[in-house]
Amino acid sequence: MTALQSALAAEHAAVYGYGVVGGRIGERRRAEARAAYDAHRARRDALVREVRDLGGAPVAASAAYALPFQVPDAATAVRLAARLEERVAGVYSDLVRAATGERRGTAAGALREAAVRAVRWSGESVAFPGLAERTTDGTGTGAAGAGASASPSP
């Protein structure tokens, strides 16, 4: 249940973050940002139902989230979108490890979608999406880093 709640918290943060992205993104990539926003809202809503179905109380969204950097223009909005997807991928990698059966397959699908969106936003890929984001050195070989938690920071 902890990994499921962490995924829900990450989706809340991503929805908030894409609200910021949408306010700054250029016209050329606005549809892509809207599609990502809608995908995260759908995942969030599915996770809320899943937590409730398991008898839990879904973690609530925060009123606001600390951004990892200021987002004054379209270029930084693109960077924020990539960061959001990298963080979501990291949280879903935890859920993949913690889950079994259908839930594991769904988490793997969410991880894949976040990794693909991260590549589209950043233009760069990593060998094992969701794992490099969980390390202190970014190589995928170290211990989990502090910035990798499902904290309110998107």
Side-chain angles (χ1 to χ4, degrees):
M1 181 73 84
T2 300
L4 199 60
Q5 291 278 31
S6 293
L8 175 55
E11 291 293 3
H12 284 312
V15 168
Y16 178 90
Y18 269 104
V20 174
V21 169
R24 298 280 191 246
I25 198 76
E27 184 65 36
R28 187 176 64 85
R29 298 195 79 180
R30 188 161 289 140
E32 186 178 359
R34 181 59 191 208
Y37 174 79
D38 290 343
H40 286 292
R41 285 182 55 208
R43 289 260 183 219
R44 178 202 61 198
D45 295 348
L47 287 166
V48 164
R49 286 188 300 274
E50 192 168 356
V51 168
R52 283 190 180 133
D53 289 348
L54 291 171
V59 64
S62 295
Y65 294 85
L67 298 176
F69 47 82
Q70 291 188 11
V71 185
D73 55 28
T76 54
V78 169
R79 271 186 44 223
L80 178 59
R83 177 77 60 90
L84 292 169
E85 297 300 346
E86 290 164 358
R87 289 185 176 183
V88 167
V91 173
Y92 276 112
S93 73
D94 290 344
L95 185 53
V96 168
R97 284 190 296 276
T100 59
E102 187 177 334
R103 185 170 297 128
R104 179 180 244 175
T106 300
L111 168 58
R112 181 185 65 247
E113 290 170 11
V116 168
R117 282 191 296 265
V119 168
R120 286 184 179 147
W121 287 117
S122 70
E124 301 174 358
S125 65
V126 295
F128 298 101
L131 297 181
E133 294 83 3
R134 307 309 255 169
T135 64
T136 56
D137 61 3
T139 64
T141 60
S149 69
S151 67
S153 243

